Amino acid sequence: MRLSSPSRKAPRAARLRPLLLMGGLPTLLGCVLAFPPPGHGGQAGGSTTPTLGEALAPSGSAQMELTEHLRRIGALFYGAWWCPACFRQKSLFGQQAGDRLPYVECDKTKEGRERCQEAGIKAYPTWVLGSKRLEGVQTIEELKRWSGFAKAPAGGAP
């Protein structure tokens, strides 16, 4: 007597239970969210963050200015391609600014894993500027304060 037929699938909840117990569902969902659309990233002159996916909204001037400031002062954004929080962090900057973030991928290559291990990265995303660190998703305003960003007054332009 057969207890189960090989052609019969377990109910969806039963198939997902091992993922939930092992903490795999967030990672699985992160992978789905983090893949870039076809034809984006990895191209010459393209995104510095291609493995995190493409932000949906366009960037505003404040987001672009902060990204350029972070690049100028040597701040680094450490993350992993499968990390949904890293995708959220990038998305706060919008498309254009998010593609120019000073990003270090920690889990795609052996070199990236070693670089992040040497930097003492224990959580994603992590922002590093000299001896200063921030872990977790940061708002644009939090990153401005942390990095010492002060927009020079412009002649009436916001």
Side-chain angles (χ1 to χ4, degrees):
M1 178 176 159
R2 246 189 197 164
L3 294 177
S4 65
S5 167
S7 64
R8 191 172 188 183
K9 285 188 174 180
R12 180 177 170 88
R15 291 192 316 263
L16 290 178
R17 190 172 301 121
L19 286 172
L20 291 170
L21 293 174
M22 297 182 324
L25 189 58
T27 301
L28 178 64
L29 291 175
C31 292
V32 172
L33 293 173
F35 281 119
H40 286 81
Q43 301 161 353
S47 174
T48 59
T49 58
T51 61
L52 290 181
E54 184 72 27
L56 299 177
S59 298
S61 62
Q63 294 157 310
M64 290 297 295
E65 290 169 2
L66 179 58
T67 293
E68 294 311 313
H69 167 73
L70 292 168
R71 291 172 62 90
R72 248 188 335 272
I73 65 172
L76 293 173
F77 162 29
Y78 290 87
W81 63 272
W82 47 262
C83 167
C86 299
F87 177 76
R88 282 193 307 276
Q89 181 69 81
K90 176 183 177 179
S91 293
L92 289 177
F93 283 84
Q95 293 170 346
Q96 299 80 6
D99 282 349
R100 291 202 33 83
L101 287 170
Y103 178 70
V104 177
E105 171 56 51
C106 291
D107 201 34
K108 202 84 164 141
T109 65
K110 179 182 176 191
E111 293 79 16
R113 286 186 290 278
E114 289 172 354
R115 181 174 179 188
C116 293
Q117 186 176 14
E118 288 170 10
I121 304 303
K122 305 220 184 297
Y124 306 129
T126 294
W127 288 90
V128 175
L129 175 59
S131 63
K132 299 189 321 185
R133 287 177 182 255
L134 288 175
E135 291 182 346
V137 177
Q138 307 299 316
T139 67
I140 297 295
E141 289 306 313
E142 289 167 331
L143 286 168
K144 284 180 178 180
R145 281 191 299 276
W146 175 76
S147 69
F149 179 81
K151 184 177 175 184

